[in-house]
Amino acid sequence: MITSADEALLRRAIAIAAHAVALGDAPYGSLLAGPDGTVLAEAHNTVRRDNDITAHPELKLARWAARELDPGTAAGTTLYTSCEPCGMCDGGIARSGLGRVVYALSTEQLVALNPPSGAWPTVPHDGPAVHDEARAPVAAYYRPAR
């Protein structure tokens, strides 16, 4: 359930997105807040500026949290973002242990405003293959010899 406090922080994420545009960057902004609503970190999209396809604000904040916060603190945070996180960002958010995500625009709403944003091609995947060779380093890592 989205509260009035959530809406206020979402408005801050939208302001970050607007500032990104003023800087010449893509219109996406995010912030990470603690359980009491204190803003811990902010970021905006710098994909073009940094020539880095991973420079989405949600992923930047997930990486920051994984580096700077202990797991218990990360679990109590909320990521506020101007648009629904993409699949890449969702993966980083899940692995970083953030507690919650609140977003303003859905992916469908974003695509309606900017149709090319939903036009990513599907890359074919083949596998699994060479199971015995692939499992050896993984098994050695998770079950080291004693």
Side-chain angles (χ1 to χ4, degrees):
M1 179 164 103
I2 296 177
T3 67
S4 60
D6 290 329
E7 288 177 356
L9 289 166
L10 271 180
R11 287 184 180 95
R12 175 67 194 142
I14 294 164
I16 295 166
H19 182 68
V21 173
L23 295 173
D25 292 319
Y28 307 103
S30 303
L31 64 90
L32 188 63
D36 63 354
T38 301
V39 176
L40 304 174
E42 297 179 344
H44 73 271
N45 185 297
T46 55
V47 167
R48 291 185 191 117
R49 173 195 309 239
D50 295 344
N51 196 28
D52 177 357
I53 61 171
T54 69
H56 292 194
E58 303 92 340
L59 189 55
K60 289 179 183 181
L61 292 175
R63 291 175 63 202
W64 179 85
R67 270 191 324 270
E68 303 295 330
L69 303 177
D70 63 80
T73 301
T77 63
T78 300
L79 177 69
Y80 293 91
T81 188
S82 59
C83 290
E84 184 175 8
C86 71
M88 173 184 69
C89 293
D90 265 342
I93 290 165
R95 289 176 180 242
S96 69
L98 301 183
R100 180 175 176 235
V101 175
V102 178
Y103 60 88
L105 287 178
S106 70
T107 300
E108 293 81 17
Q109 291 167 323
L110 172 64
V111 170
L113 292 168
N114 179 25
S117 66
W120 299 108
T122 301
V123 177
H125 289 64
D126 292 316
V130 292
H131 174 265
D132 291 334
E133 292 90 340
R135 75 181 289 286
V138 175
Y141 179 81
Y142 289 108
R143 295 187 191 99
R146 297 185 180 192

